[in-house]
Each structure stands twice: as C-alpha cells, then as structure tokens.
Amino acid sequence: VTITDIPTPALVVDVGALDRNIRRMAGFFTDDTCRLRPHVKAHKTAEIARRQLAAGSCSGLTCATVSEAEAVAELGADLLIANEIIGRQRCDRVARLARAQAVTVAVDSAEGLDAIGAAAARAGVTVGVLIDLDVGQHRCGLRPGQEALTLAHAAARAAGVALRGVMGYEGHVQAIRDRGEREARAGEAMRMLVATAELLLRAGLPCDIVSAGGTGTFDISGRMAGITEIQAGSYALMDTDYRDTGVPFEQAFWVLGTVISRPSAERCVADCGHKSMTKDHGNPSVHGIAGATVTALNDEHAVIALPPGAGIAIGDRIRLVPSHTDPTANLHDVFYVIEGDRVVDVWPIARGYPEQR
Ligand SMILES: Cc1ncc(COP(=O)(O)O)c(C=O)c1O
C-alpha cells in the first residue's frame, strides 16, 4: 500500500522524521537536572507516546484531559494531567486510573482540591497534586507567592491527595519568533515559578516537581535552575507555527489531499479543507511544490496558487503542512504511518470526546 491507495483527506506521519524528533528532544534531557514529560495532547496517540517513553529522559507523560490519560494508561507511565479536573465523574475516572499507576493533577482552587481528594478517598487511592500557577499566560492558575502557598498547605493536609509540587505553563511565550525575547519572557515566568517552589520548601512542604515548558521553551526553561521537567508536545510532529520560531525539529506529519480540480494554469484545488486541518494559526503551507501557496481553506477545499509550469494534474496527491498540530490531529481517526511513499502502519488517534460514545 502506498499513499496513493489511502482515502483523502488523511493524516500521514513520516515515522523516520518522528523518531528523529523524539530522539533529538530526549537527547537534550539526558543529564539528570531536568526531565522531559512529553505532552500527549499534541497527538493523542498511544504508539507515539510509547516511542517518546522508549527514547528515555522522561519523568512520565503529560495529558490535558482525563480521556488522554485513559488513552495512554496501558503504557503504565507516571501521568500528569496538567489541567484542573472538576466534576464528580471526571474525578472518579482519575481515581480509577490511580489504582494502577501514579496520577497527578493540577489544582488552583479549594473546590478542585476537595473534589479530587473526595474521589481518591472513595476509591481508596492517593492522587498527586501540583499547585497550578499563572506565570503570565492568564489562563488557569493561582498567582505565584502567598495564594499558592496557602493552597499548598491545604493540599498537604488533605486526605486522598499527595502534594508533589508546582506547575506553571508559560504558554504566552512559546510562539514568540525572536529568540532573545522568548528567552527573556520565559525567564521572567520561570523565576516566578521557582520562587514559589522555594516558598513551599521553606515552609517544609513537599515540592519534588516543578513542571513547565513547551516546544518553544524546552531549551530555555529546561536549563533554568529549579525546573525539574518540561511538558513539550508539538516537537514530535511539528507545524508551521513552531517552524517559524526556529526550533530544531523537522516536519513529521502532513494532511494528504487529492487534486480534484485544475481550473486554470495557476490554480488547483484539493479535497482537504479546514474540516481536515485547523487554520487557527494561519493557512497551511504546501509541501514539495516550490512557490505554491494556499490562498483559501474552505470546509472541504484547499485552493492552491501554483507557480508557472507546475506539473500538477487532477488526481495527484499533495501534502499540506498544518499550522497547528494539536487540533489538526484531533480531527482524524488515524495516522497513516509512512516510510517514503509506503504506508507501513496505521495508528489510532484518541480524538474528540470518547465519553460521548
Ligand atoms: C499545560 C501545557 N503544557 C505544555 C504545553 C506545551 O505544548 P507544546 O509543546 O505543544 O507547545 C501545552 C500546550 O498547549 C500546555 O497547555
């Protein structure tokens, strides 16, 4: 089977490029000061997570949702759900996972702490917690300092949970194009996180984990004293947004489409619109046709401006490079795994909201 045999639109992943990205990132964290905790949200694929763990340097895996944690539970890794888990059913699912493996969640409220503690007590297990800090992204998280310390004291006293440390995701700096500015802004964020970790330690509280980072800051935050692990995800597959930051990873996945129309010499249309890839970080790039650009991405159509003399015919396969990995992977049921043009495997993606099925 080759890529001309699979139905389009489809996600194709080049396993060689994927493994090189995974090895490169694992290789950065081989000394023991900071570990890697690859983020599953980027791909939602157990086989990719397995390869990330097998490459070494990992403290475990990061997930954004309970469903992602369930999808990779079979790997038996130390799981961090780097997100607030609210609601009895969700907390009970976390507690169920904690019967078989270490599971830690982020908390930024007394309500969140009570909910996960109660679920853990009902199941007779212990769930780890990290105090989630807002280090500048202004999403979830408590302000660094006293607020965080107060919740940490409560976590240390609470039944059913074990305080493991703090986390603070510097999401607001990941895609800053200028390396110097990215370093400066990540540095500011990480100093807040490390200062709060030190507050916990001075108060006699446990703080073994200080978790942060992403693909744009792995070699900045990952080299700051006091940071113990980096939660990067997109590096494995990559997208145009991260390409433009200059991070040292190669494109490893594409949306494959079929040319369905060739209305003029300078235009072709493929069957892969934004139902097959998101455009929240801009239109995709065209792979392998110098000078070609995507001018519009409609529901089911990619409109592509071609350079003079481009030998593109109706029925040809083309590859587009998505601008944002995570939500694009979430639109597909499987990755077709390729070596050159050969399809060598198919990996299921734990996409969407499995609890609805
Ligand atoms: C909490 C958290 N940690 C880490 C990441 C890093 O992911 P990436 O490497 O894809 O930027 C994200 C991405 O959104 C995140 O939400």
Side-chain angles (χ1 to χ4, degrees), residues 25 37 39 41-42 62-64 82-83 132 137 139 167-171 174 211-217 230-235 239 242 324-326:
M25 185 63 102
R37 193 185 276 276
H39 209 317
K41 75 192 266 284
T62 309
C63 300
N83 205 352
D132 189 9
Q137 188 186 22
R139 191 169 66 182
M167 73 161 247
Y169 174 53
E170 70 286 30
Q174 295 300 328
S211 192
T215 298
T217 60
I230 292 293
Q231 310 172 353
S234 301
Y235 72 94
D239 54 35
Y242 268 129
H324 194 179
T325 308
D326 316 42

